Amino acid sequence: MSDMQDTLMIGTEGIKKTILHGGTGEIPKFITGAKVSFHFRTQLCDDERTVIDDSKRVGTPMEIVVGNMFKLDIWETLLASMRIGEVAEFWCDTIHTGAYPLVSKGMRRIAEGKDPVDWQLHTCGMANMFAYHTLGYDDLDELMKEPKPLYFVMELLRVHQPSEYNRETWAMSDEERLKVVPVLHGQGNKLYKQGRYEDATQKYKEAIICIKNVQTKEKAWEVPWMKLEKMANTLTLNCCQCLLRMEEYYEVIEHTTDIINQHPGTVKAFFLRAKAHGEVWNEAEARQDFSRVLDLDPGMKKVVKKELAVLSMRMEEKNQEDKTKYKGMF
């Protein structure tokens, strides 16, 4: 049976496989959602076998999620023929290698610590390429102009079945994303109560990413979009509560101001911004925000009164400190 697998694999048009180092165990199942870790080396079919990319040089293995529309789907086919620990060399004809330069560019940008998609944000990736005729790397531009057969040397490290790891948010469907939001929200709240503000912020941010992913598919300012926007804002304000505790006051002012500019009736945004302003001695701004809170929600009267008393006390203390500090100067 096992030898059959290897020869079956070669049944894919335009691929030849040579095993360089045998692996162990059965061939793992490649089901949708499985996460595959592997090292790869890409080489030209020239006399020098010129290396184009090598994940070992970068130092971290490559990871893909099966069925997640990875641009170079032939890699799934190659890896699915391998055992754990196996090293194999695949010769792939041009029909399979056309997308390689684009994929390589993304991987190189990640390795350089850049966002792999920022170059695609402004215009669609393909249009960009035709506009500039360049991917930013000479060797990839060559391959783009004239696709060639390539050698891929693969080493299969691990296959995690979907149940074995928490599926990262980018590997989820929209439905799953929305289901996971309240879970993350709850985890964040629990961590906040335990005083683990940094960890809570991470959970809230993960939930926001899920929402924003779904939101991009809706029409801006229409009902479904607004519902998602409201959810995202609630989570952002929860982040701000953590940031207040972490004494990141300017960050709080920035986030709450963004929300206020878009949604001027958000009471909690004014309240948190007022508190942050108070912490960095912006008395006038703090008072103005607290009075907006009262306009929007008169029920907050007691809380605001208490906050204003604290603010007055703090300003008084600061003025005393400043007086003594400057007294010695004159």
Side-chain angles (χ1 to χ4, degrees), residues 22-253:
T24 51
E26 290 296 306
I27 289 185
K29 287 191 180 62
F30 267 53
I31 58 175
T32 302
K35 193 199 292 189
V36 188
S37 305
F38 58 96
H39 273 299
F40 73 93
R41 190 168 67 240
T42 308
Q43 295 172 302
L44 293 176
C45 299
D46 55 8
D47 295 339
E48 287 77 50
R49 288 284 191 100
T50 308
V51 175
I52 303 175
D53 291 300
D54 185 344
S55 62
K56 285 194 173 166
R57 266 193 218 153
V58 177
T60 44
M62 178 74 189
E63 279 190 347
I64 59 176
V65 173
V66 177
N68 202 44
M69 307 276 294
F70 181 63
K71 283 199 192 90
L72 202 66
D73 50 6
I74 192 62
W75 272 12
E76 277 186 21
T77 313
L78 306 182
L79 291 160
S81 78
M82 299 176 72
R83 293 181 172 73
I84 303 296
E86 179 180 316
V87 181
E89 177 185 87
F90 299 90
W91 173 86
C92 293
D93 206 353
T94 325
I95 48 168
H96 301 301
T97 60
Y100 185 77
L102 283 171
V103 172
S104 172
K105 167 168 186 155
M107 295 187 296
R108 288 181 188 187
R109 290 186 70 85
I110 292 169
E112 289 161 11
K114 298 190 185 112
D115 183 347
V117 292
D118 61 6
W119 60 286
Q120 288 175 328
L121 286 181
H122 308 296
T123 57
C124 130
M126 284 315 261
N128 238 0
M129 297 219 352
F130 294 125
Y132 303 111
H133 303 299
T134 178
L135 289 164
Y137 303 95
D138 294 345
D139 55 344
L140 298 182
D141 287 342
E142 278 300 297
L143 271 183
M144 199 72 207
K145 273 208 278 290
E146 191 189 331
K148 299 182 174 79
L150 295 171
Y151 281 111
F152 296 119
V153 179
M154 303 287 209
E155 177 185 357
L156 182 58
L157 302 172
R158 275 188 309 279
V159 178
H160 286 295
Q161 297 309 335
S163 56
E164 294 173 26
Y165 69 98
N166 283 334
R167 298 187 58 198
E168 270 138 26
T169 41
W170 55 266
M172 295 180 180
S173 68
D174 286 351
E175 221 171 328
E176 288 173 311
R177 284 192 179 120
L178 291 180
K179 273 196 194 125
V180 90
V181 167
V183 178
L184 291 165
H185 192 162
Q187 289 172 336
N189 291 354
K190 205 166 154 185
L191 290 162
Y192 178 83
K193 285 196 185 92
Q194 293 167 358
R196 293 167 58 189
Y197 305 120
E198 189 100 27
D199 296 336
T201 307
Q202 276 317 108
K203 294 289 179 193
Y204 295 142
K205 280 186 178 163
E206 222 177 303
I208 293 167
I209 290 168
C210 286
I211 293 168
K212 292 289 175 195
N213 265 319
V214 180
Q215 197 184 22
T216 54
K217 301 182 178 87
E218 299 292 351
K219 238 182 144 155
W221 301 99
E222 289 190 357
V223 172
W225 188 92
M226 283 302 293
K227 274 190 182 153
L228 293 165
E229 178 77 353
K230 213 174 155 181
M231 285 160 69
N233 285 347
T234 302
L235 287 155
T236 302
L237 292 169
N238 284 11
C239 280
C240 287
Q241 259 173 301
C242 294
L243 291 165
L244 265 180
R245 295 295 184 108
M246 288 150 70
E247 302 184 359
E248 302 286 353
Y249 305 123
Y250 290 105
E251 216 179 314
V252 174
I253 293 169

Side-chain angles (χ1 to χ4, degrees), residues 277-278 280-289 311-312 315 319:
H277 275 310
V280 292
W281 316 113
N282 299 339
E283 185 178 13
E285 289 89 338
R287 287 185 182 280
Q288 204 178 347
D289 278 347
L311 179 68
S312 299
M315 294 312 298
N319 293 336

